[in-house]
Amino acid sequence: MFKLDRRILTHFDFVQPILILPIIFISFFLIFEANSFLAEKQFVYICVGFLAFGFFFFLPIRKLIWIIPLLYWVNIFLLLSVDIFGVERLGARRWLEIPFTHFTIQPSELFKPSFILMLAYLIYHKPPPKNGYKLKSFLKFSFYIILPFLLIAKEPDLGTAMVLLIVGFGVLFIIGVNYKIWLSIILIIGISSPVIYTHLLKPYQKQRIQKFISQAPDYQVAQSMIAIGNGGLTGKSQDEATQTHFKFLPISTSDFIFAYMLERFGFIGGVILILLYILLILHLLSLNYKLKDDYFARVMLNCVALFIFIYSAVNISMTIGLAPVVGVPLPFFSYGGSSFTIFMIFFGILQHLITFRYFWTERKDGRVT
């Protein structure tokens, strides 16, 4: 166990909560204003999220590193089980029902922590050479990235699958892969993209792309853009936020909560929220210098930074008509328990690796028994 001494406070990264807590508070205010019943549920989700953060913060992750491959394959088994035992909703089979209860779990959400932990485990045991990973190592890492991508895309949940794919290969790009491999991949994707669109995408996925590139936005995006325009520079009062107040804005507390934010707090409020995300991402990436020799922690922080960047960029772009409409939540901001809890787990693991790094450094040097 870890000794609770002053070094915990000394090494704890306080920048993260300083940037994250305002996002959570603003989100709860908006959800409460829109629907008090949803706010009560969101409060429960927030409590569960903070409990999850505390659990993983004090969990001796490096001591339990041997269990990570087992967790990865258990989650792969759950993804495989979805095809056999999964619960279908709105044409998608993504959930598993917990026996003897009416509750369901979504294995693709549960998989995310084990996914980035597995990448950290693999890179920790085989750090990149001077000129980056060669083809053999790259193919090994690719297997662990592409396998869940195929299983989740089959549900179908192409949005989540693509996020995992980009995060996986994105962290390999940051950590270091020989440039010739990336050039070959770009060339292959460029040549095969027409075949992918024609034969691999499902009809509803093609429809989303066609709506996106068409001149007229669909109803959801049109109402979102009206809400954003209604907010102006400084926003409207609750009664004057007509798009949200009269339920014209669809899914205003989850997928389109950014448009709701701009209708209430205007362009200035939107800029402040985006700035919080940018500062958080830049802060996480800056930790690469502090943890340059700790590949396990570096993979974790880069994965978390990529998750936040992709989710926030896609969600915000979607609400302003610059990306197709997909069910991607805004981290710590959209209503819902799964996404919030997963991100709190991410930051619990990350804070543990940062805060308790002195403990493992001392063990490695032989000064702690």
Side-chain angles (χ1 to χ4, degrees):
M1 292 299 293
F2 305 110
K3 296 178 181 179
L4 297 178
D5 56 31
R6 287 184 225 172
R7 287 177 294 184
I8 294 178
L9 292 176
T10 303
H11 290 78
F12 189 86
D13 182 14
F14 287 98
V15 176
Q16 292 179 38
I18 288 173
L19 295 172
I20 293 171
L21 289 177
I23 298 175
I24 297 173
F25 291 146
I26 297 170
S27 168
F28 184 77
F29 171 81
L30 291 172
I31 295 170
F32 180 80
E33 190 176 81
N35 190 317
S36 59
F37 174 71
L38 290 183
E40 291 177 5
K41 294 180 69 175
Q42 187 66 13
F43 180 75
V44 174
Y45 295 148
I46 291 172
C47 292
V48 171
F50 276 97
L51 287 173
F53 173 90
F55 175 80
F56 282 93
F57 176 69
F58 288 106
L59 188 70
I61 295 169
R62 293 185 192 268
K63 190 175 181 180
L64 300 173
I65 195 172
W66 58 272
I67 207 172
I68 290 174
L70 177 62
L71 291 175
Y72 177 89
W73 288 110
V74 166
N75 279 276
I76 289 293
F77 174 76
L78 291 176
L79 290 175
L80 289 168
S81 300
V82 168
D83 192 45
I84 304 171
F85 306 107
V87 177
E88 187 170 332
R89 297 176 182 172
L90 300 175
R93 193 183 293 269
R94 303 175 185 173
W95 297 268
L96 289 174
E97 186 172 319
I98 300 174
F100 311 111
T101 71
H102 296 291
F103 293 100
T104 58
I105 58 172
Q106 191 171 350
S108 59
E109 288 294 321
L110 295 175
F111 181 75
K112 292 172 184 175
S114 63
F115 174 73
I116 62 177
L117 282 168
M118 188 63 185
L119 289 178
Y121 173 89
L122 293 170
I123 294 173
Y124 169 76
H125 283 286
K126 189 173 183 180
K130 185 177 180 180
N131 295 322
Y133 289 114
K134 298 298 189 291
L135 183 61
K136 183 179 178 180
S137 298
F138 178 79
L139 291 176
K140 177 183 176 181
F141 296 140
S142 298
F143 170 78
Y144 290 93
I145 298 170
I146 294 174
L147 176 61
F149 166 79
L150 296 174
L151 294 176
I152 295 172
K154 189 175 181 294
E155 293 180 355
D157 187 0
L158 187 59
T160 300
M162 285 300 298
V163 169
L164 291 178
L165 191 73
I166 295 170
V167 168
F169 286 111
V171 77
L172 288 180
F173 178 82
I174 295 172
I175 294 297
V177 172
N178 191 278
Y179 74 95
K180 294 179 182 178
I181 295 176
W182 296 121
L183 292 176
S184 302
I185 290 174
I186 293 171
L187 184 63
I188 292 170
I189 292 175
I191 295 173
S192 61
S193 54
V195 177
I196 294 172
Y197 178 84
T198 306
H199 298 286
L200 297 183
L201 291 185
K202 297 182 180 297
Y204 78 92
Q205 293 165 345
K206 294 179 182 178
Q207 187 178 22
R208 286 180 177 177
I209 295 174
Q210 290 166 2
K211 284 182 179 179
F212 170 64
I213 62 178
S214 65
Q215 292 183 352
D218 62 12
Y219 174 81
Q220 292 177 311
V221 177
Q223 296 301 320
S224 173
M225 295 173 73
I226 292 171
I228 293 170
N230 186 41
L233 184 64
T234 57
K236 302 290 185 180
S237 66
Q238 181 179 2
D239 293 333
E240 292 177 324
T242 54
Q243 285 297 106
T244 306
H245 189 66
F246 293 110
K247 312 297 183 184
F248 292 116
L249 180 64
I251 329 176
S252 61
T253 56
S254 54
D255 288 357
F256 287 89
I257 194 171
F258 182 73
Y260 176 24
M261 166 77 176
L262 265 71
E263 188 175 30
R264 283 290 283 114
F265 298 109
F267 176 78
I268 294 175
V271 168
I272 291 173
L273 180 63
I274 292 173
L275 187 61
L276 287 171
Y277 282 118
I278 292 173
L279 290 174
L280 179 59
I281 293 166
L282 291 177
H283 172 67
L284 292 177
L285 293 177
S286 71
L287 293 175
N288 277 288
Y289 297 99
K290 182 183 290 187
L291 306 170
K292 61 181 180 179
D293 296 323
D294 187 350
Y295 282 100
F296 191 89
R298 283 186 61 194
V299 172
M300 288 297 304
L301 67 90
N302 285 306
C303 282
V304 174
L306 285 169
F307 265 114
I308 295 173
F309 172 75
I310 294 168
Y311 272 65
S312 57
V314 171
N315 182 278
I316 292 171
S317 299
M318 175 185 75
T319 60
I320 61 177
L322 295 180
V325 176
V326 292
V328 174
L330 200 54
F332 299 112
F333 206 71
S334 295
Y335 167 80
S338 298
S339 173
F340 185 87
T341 303
I342 292 300
F343 273 100
M344 291 302 287
I345 290 173
F346 284 166
F347 279 92
I349 295 171
L350 195 53
Q351 281 284 15
H352 169 87
L353 296 174
I354 295 170
T355 303
F356 293 103
R357 66 185 185 276
Y358 70 86
F359 180 85
W360 299 104
T361 302
E362 290 179 352
R363 285 181 61 90
K364 186 176 180 180
D365 293 343
R367 294 195 297 269
V368 174
T369 59

